[in-house]
Amino acid sequence: MSVSVTFDDENLAELASEAVGRLVAEGVPAALASGDPTLWGPGAEPEATVRLGWLTLPLTSRELLPEIEKLVERARAENLNHVVLAGMGGSSLAPEVITTSADVPLTVLDTTDPGQVRRALEDRLESTILVVASKSGGTAETDSHRRIYEKAFRDAGIDPADRIVVVTDPGSPLEQSAIEAGYTVILADPTVGGRYSALSAFGLVPSALAGADVKELLDDAAAVQPLLSQTEGNPGLDLGAALGAAAADGRDKLVIEDDLSEINGLPDWIEQLIAESTGKSGKGILPVVGADPSGVDDELVVGIDTDGAVTVTGPLGAQFLVWEYATAVAGRVLGIDPFSQPNVAESKENTGELLDQAELPVGTPILVDGPVEVYGELPGSEAPEDLSDVLTRLLDAIPEDGYLTIMAYLDREAAFDAPYPEGASFEEMTDAWSGADPVTLRGQLATRTERPVTFGWGPRFLHSTGQYHKGGPQNGVFLQITGAVEDDIEVPGKPYTLGRLQLAQALGDQGALAKRGRPTVRLHLTDRVAGVERLLAAARQA
């Protein structure tokens, strides 16, 4: 089964057709399919030269299958049925989509929240196999997870070499240290960037260990691959032309819907791919996930197996490849290098500098509203009256072409601890969880503005939409949420805890955003449960 791209918007279809005509006249389909690194201009060529390996992954990744199968057989023989993935960005988002769509369990650690990490540590450690996935080999979050699990395994009398699998690029510092430690090492294709790595070892190894059929993924991708060199009937070309032409025409807010899709969570993966690939040089496409369309002029609705201005249907493996191809095409249309991430390092560097300080410079709150402290600068000269006033003023600060983003450095599973009555129905349980979930804030604020409201869990979004926030159009308004840590976790061999790292990451990104002159406010929950409750109540009152 292949991928189909259909249009239900005559103006968009015309724009896309015109863009396809130009791309075909320029020889782009055949050139891209053959891996031509000159397609995005001289400035992008050096990076593109070493970043086009994803085009052939449906074929080249098959070489990994025997090694992966042996690993899976060993894990099953040893009853290692709790698969934990420590990885960020492209190393975690694709496996999460693959495993949730296949309905197989995978615990994903793409967080520095001590509570969320402790949940994983306390869950069946005796039957845990840990996949440590890092392209660079130096990702701070993933390095911390590895160190913490090594200690936990040793404390439990378990040899880490029997439980840790490393996926990394050849020559990375992680490869050498893993070999020295006796860990199983599976090397990924170094010519594939992180956000394009869904069909590489980064996507396949943890997914296969969890029980997903990764050969089927490659088969589905291989089925669509021949179409990507064609000038007609090329879903990647049609989709990329539509995305790029729409954005160039002012429709640069990409609302992705998947209500009817059997693929679970693909918009989250698309969000990283599109935002990090296009959000630079003051341009870009902003993906909006988990939101209803507002009907504003700068909005483009794309449906995954559901109706939109553009509808994309097809199996997951093929969708991965088509969206990657489409992103590269959209970059060409917009004059953007889709393989660089020039602003990602900024927040990382800020974090490192903060961690070197004896005390983190949290500043003085401009308002304390019960269990919520407010830090930063609000538009207007007057001090805010209360938390509701803070939220109202942030919404009022969104430009006509702008957006609000909520960035929560919290435990994204904590809402499931919310109490509910004994014998409660599923609807009652869902209401209880929703009332304790920071994600609920996105929907509450979205009802009060026509502008897009996005939500990201920190620090995971730093490896995806964080590039767009800093490198894309400077029309964002930013709301951070941090929380007090009651039960912190030491990072062995490092002079900081997870809680300190998490707060430093928030402060580092806040500094990077504030430097650009955009409204940036941090809400600190001195009591996380009560703080979320107060925040949601304030949003209802605003």
Side-chain angles (χ1 to χ4, degrees):
M1 182 179 176
S2 186
V3 171
S4 67
V5 176
T6 56
F7 296 90
D8 190 25
D9 181 314
E10 291 185 6
N11 180 57
L12 177 63
E14 183 176 344
L15 286 174
S17 178
E18 292 172 357
V20 166
R22 292 192 299 271
L23 292 163
V24 168
E26 295 163 357
V28 170
L32 179 52
S34 65
D36 183 350
T38 68
L39 289 171
W40 302 273
E45 185 174 349
E47 185 75 15
T49 298
V50 295
R51 286 291 176 264
L52 290 170
W54 53 271
L55 287 160
T56 58
L57 285 177
L59 175 63
T60 57
S61 284
R62 292 179 188 277
E63 300 171 3
L64 295 171
L65 294 180
E67 186 177 8
I68 291 174
E69 182 58 32
K70 289 180 182 177
L71 180 62
V72 170
E73 290 175 355
R74 177 176 74 81
R76 289 174 178 166
E78 297 176 8
N79 293 317
L80 302 180
N81 52 27
H82 182 213
V83 184
V84 178
L85 169 60
M88 302 298 298
S91 298
S92 62
L93 286 167
E96 193 165 53
V97 176
I98 295 167
T99 54
T100 53
S101 297
D103 195 24
V104 294
L106 176 68
T107 297
V108 176
L109 286 183
D110 54 1
T111 180
T112 45
D113 186 82
Q116 194 170 332
V117 172
R118 192 175 298 282
R119 288 169 186 275
L121 280 172
E122 294 177 349
D123 183 12
R124 296 166 290 160
L125 184 67
E126 71 284 354
S127 59
T128 291
I129 183 167
L130 175 71
V131 180
V132 178
S134 172
K135 180 177 175 61
S136 68
T139 308
E141 299 94 331
T142 306
D143 177 68
S144 298
H145 299 150
R146 175 184 61 81
R147 292 169 179 269
I148 290 167
Y149 263 90
E150 285 173 340
K151 182 179 186 302
F153 283 137
R154 292 191 182 103
D155 289 349
I158 298 170
D159 185 350
D162 295 334
R163 299 299 187 87
I164 295 179
V165 177
V166 168
V167 181
T168 190
D169 275 5
S172 79
L174 179 58
E175 179 197 9
Q176 186 57 42
S177 64
I179 291 173
E180 292 172 358
Y183 300 156
T184 298
V185 178
I186 298 182
L187 297 177
D189 187 336
T191 67
V192 178
R195 57 188 177 275
Y196 292 82
S197 65
L199 298 172
S200 77
F202 288 105
L204 303 184
V205 171
S207 301
L209 280 168
D213 186 346
V214 296
K215 181 180 179 299
E216 182 180 25
L217 280 175
L218 297 178
D219 289 344
D220 289 337
V224 78
Q225 189 178 25
L227 302 179
L228 301 183
S229 61
Q230 297 180 5
T231 58
E232 295 183 4
N234 180 335
L237 181 65
D238 293 341
L239 178 58
L243 296 175
D249 193 48
R251 297 173 68 177
D252 60 352
K253 309 304 187 296
L254 179 65
V255 179
I256 311 170
E257 296 188 317
D258 66 340
D259 295 342
L260 302 178
S261 179
E262 294 182 358
I263 300 173
N264 193 331
L266 187 60
D268 289 324
W269 176 82
I270 295 171
E271 179 181 43
Q272 183 213 13
L273 177 69
I274 296 287
E276 195 169 37
S277 296
T278 69
K280 59 201 74 169
S281 303
K283 297 185 282 189
I285 300 170
L286 175 68
V288 183
V289 176
D292 294 326
S294 299
V296 291
D297 291 341
D298 59 349
E299 185 178 76
L300 173 66
V301 180
V302 174
I304 308 297
D305 296 330
T306 191
D307 292 340
V310 184
T311 300
V312 186
T313 60
L316 180 56
Q319 292 253 16
F320 280 143
L321 188 60
V322 165
W323 278 97
E324 289 165 351
Y325 184 102
T327 301
V329 169
R332 163 84 180 199
V333 173
L334 293 171
I336 293 171
D337 174 4
F339 306 111
S340 67
Q341 47 276 335
N343 303 106
V344 167
E346 185 176 352
S347 293
K348 294 180 182 179
E349 292 167 358
N350 288 354
T351 297
E353 293 172 1
L354 289 169
L355 287 172
D356 288 337
Q357 300 183 26
E359 297 290 337
L360 294 178
V362 295
T364 302
I366 61 173
L367 171 74
V368 177
D369 188 331
V372 182
E373 299 174 341
V374 182
Y375 296 84
E377 295 185 8
L378 280 168
S381 57
E382 298 180 358
E385 298 177 1
D386 54 22
L387 190 53
S388 296
D389 187 29
V390 171
L391 298 176
T392 296
R393 286 162 67 171
L394 285 174
L395 289 168
D396 290 344
I398 305 173
E400 290 185 2
D401 62 345
Y403 64 98
L404 169 68
T405 189
I406 303 166
M407 305 167 288
Y409 291 80
L410 300 169
D411 178 354
R412 65 173 168 143
E413 298 175 357
F416 294 113
D417 292 335
Y420 48 81
E422 185 177 351
S425 66
F426 181 73
E427 182 178 357
E428 291 172 324
M429 288 188 287
T430 301
D431 287 344
W433 297 331
S434 177
D437 194 344
V439 176
T440 303
L441 180 64
R442 191 212 64 76
Q444 289 179 324
L445 296 183
T447 64
R448 301 189 57 238
T449 178
E450 290 185 339
R451 303 310 307 153
V453 179
T454 68
F455 185 97
W457 291 105
R460 123 180 185 159
F461 77 86
L462 292 176
H463 298 259
S464 58
T465 52
Q467 167 62 44
Y468 181 96
H469 296 160
K470 292 178 279 291
Q474 293 305 295
N475 54 13
V477 175
F478 303 99
L479 177 62
Q480 285 189 340
I481 309 173
T482 58
V485 174
E486 295 183 355
D487 192 8
D488 212 342
I489 298 178
E490 296 285 341
V491 180
K494 292 292 183 179
Y496 51 76
T497 63
L498 280 184
R500 179 176 168 86
L501 174 59
Q502 182 184 43
L503 183 56
Q505 289 175 313
L507 296 175
D509 196 46
Q510 183 182 22
L513 295 169
K515 186 173 72 174
R516 288 162 170 80
R518 300 306 309 159
T520 305
V521 169
R522 179 170 68 92
L523 307 180
H524 185 70
L525 314 182
T526 54
D527 179 308
R528 292 194 178 201
V529 174
V532 171
E533 182 179 353
R534 174 69 192 110
L535 181 56
L536 298 184
R540 290 191 295 270
Q541 297 164 4

